Amino acid sequence: MGLQLTIMGMAGFTVALMMIGMIISPCVYGKEFSDHQEIKVERLLKRLNKHALISIKSEDGDTIDCVPIHSQPAFDHPLLKNHIIQMKPSFIPESTSTYTKKKINATQAWHKNGRCPKNTIPIRRIKKEDILRSKSIESYGKKTTPSSPQATTFDPSKGHEYAVMNSMNGTYFGTQCSVNIWKPEVQVPDEFSLAQTWLVSGVGTTRNTIEAGLQVYPRIYGDNNLRLFVYWTVSTHFLPQHADGYQSTGCYNNLCSGFVQRSNLITVGGTYTTVSEYDGDQYDLSMLIWKDGENWWLQIGEELVGYWPGQLFSSLGNGATIVQWGGEIVNKETDGKHTGTDMGSGHFAEEGFKKSSYFRNLMTIDETNTLIEPQGVYPTTGHDNCYNIKAGDAGSSWGVDGHQKTRCYNTDCPCFVQTSNRITVGGTFKSVSKYDGVQIAVLNYMEGVIIYPCVCVRQFSDHQEIKIQTLLKRLNKHALISVKSVDGDIIDCVPIHSQPAFDHPLLRNHTIQMRPSFIPEITSTYTKKNTKATQAWHKSGRCPENTVPIRRIMKEDILRSKSIESFGKKNDFKHP
């Protein structure tokens, strides 16, 4: 407008300038994709993919760019503009343990096709498709919800579930561990499965974390390969509006500036193809993280990978207050069911070595920079019935992993396998004992199905209605026919192989046992009067062969419970 008033003859030119300005000035920091999505994506690709001296095409589909060490993305960070690279730490912590570590150098997939030259670092090239899989350009490479497991505060209903071991609260300057290498199955792209260590300090917006481990995360990488990752959460005192504990200040690998890489052999985000086999060969990866001066170093095996500069952190400057080791998954409850995503090997911790995943040789680093075995470690799980953890038999070697084991009633949770097509657990008996001494045999021993087998945990949320419908869909299986009972129940005749029991991860390939191999004999001289008690719904019909009768769960049934998660459970499980 100012140009138009000053030079009347240039009005058209001014408008053109204004229009061009609108076209080339997209909003870079918006929360949602905009009309300028293409420009924003290209701008981000240009920032992340630095000029490479050479590039290596990996067999896993990745392109590895060998970038001059001083040109890496870390130095785009405002606090690292004049940073001097530390090529090696001033010390490496010594261990007091008598445990002898077997040295296995796991190689990354791209090593088959080449190596990066000296004074360059390998960086996985980011593709347009990688960014477009993210919920928004701004959230690419970030966790969108808090995911540091807190022993007393984390909520499995937020979608993240854990099985971790925790150190006692204290002051720690690093940790060492060896993590069993498995390639867990991930059900949907928005879910992930990882095994890692956490160093944590601070709370809320002052929380700092340093994290490293192995993960399968299709949304970030576009595949189901097992990859090395690093993550960190910082207090951005130079950008206080972003100091929000996992909301926008943390990032994976090189996808945000911060982590300084110095190795030309290992790339964060790189694939490992040599993995453990169930009851077969086992492989693990040694990780060491420690504080050297202001910086926090990462060593994988014998290779110094890089470090997190101390300038990134506030509360971690004085050391971590807790160290954690274990697994994490995301549960999106696709189709209303708990995810089938594995943690570790996908097998219970109780199965032990070669079958369940493990962390071993756990160490923490004290104020004398010595590696010592942690004392008083304790487990944290969100759904112990889904993913569990168990301490090892001696020292600090212990296994971690698991799947589902739980406690619930009737068919409200997967566990109990029903074979009878005449009696439904939860069904009403129309015949009851009478005061005059006539006793009805409530259970015929051939159809002894009224047992209390299994359950899960969550809280009512703002999405209560959605959660109820999701639960109803999971519990009420497709019926061949339904029988309306005189007591108001609806009995669904569900194909025997479709019953809720087989939603349980451990029963996916279960073969139904249609009858026991024997029935215990009674030694009593009491003569039983064979009177069969019938259930109320029998008056209105029967279920056909190869189906099982299941009482249909109604919305009102769930609403009577204290919470959706407590439906079908005892609030206080006690033996008499």
Side-chain angles (χ1 to χ4, degrees), residues 176-194:
Q176 182 184 63
C177 64
S178 293
V179 56
N180 202 189
I181 303 175
W182 290 86
K183 184 181 177 182
E185 293 294 325
V186 173
Q187 182 172 316
V188 295
D190 275 347
E191 295 179 344
F192 66 66
S193 179
L194 59 78

Side-chain angles (χ1 to χ4, degrees), residues 283-316:
Y283 301 91
D284 58 37
L285 196 68
S286 173
M287 296 190 297
L288 173 63
I289 301 173
W290 76 101
K291 191 173 189 290
D292 175 35
E294 295 298 315
N295 302 329
W296 291 83
W297 273 87
L298 171 66
Q299 179 174 295
I300 300 295
E302 303 300 312
E303 182 72 9
L304 291 167
V305 178
Y307 58 90
W308 293 269
Q311 297 100 307
L312 300 178
F313 306 109
S314 55
S315 56
L316 267 173

Side-chain angles (χ1 to χ4, degrees), residues 69-70 84-85 116 145 203 255 286 313 425 455 522 563 574:
I69 192 168
H70 290 91
I84 298 174
I85 296 177
C116 282
T145 58
V203 294
L255 303 182
S286 173
F313 306 109
V425 287
V455 187
I522 189 169
S563 69
K574 292 180 180 179

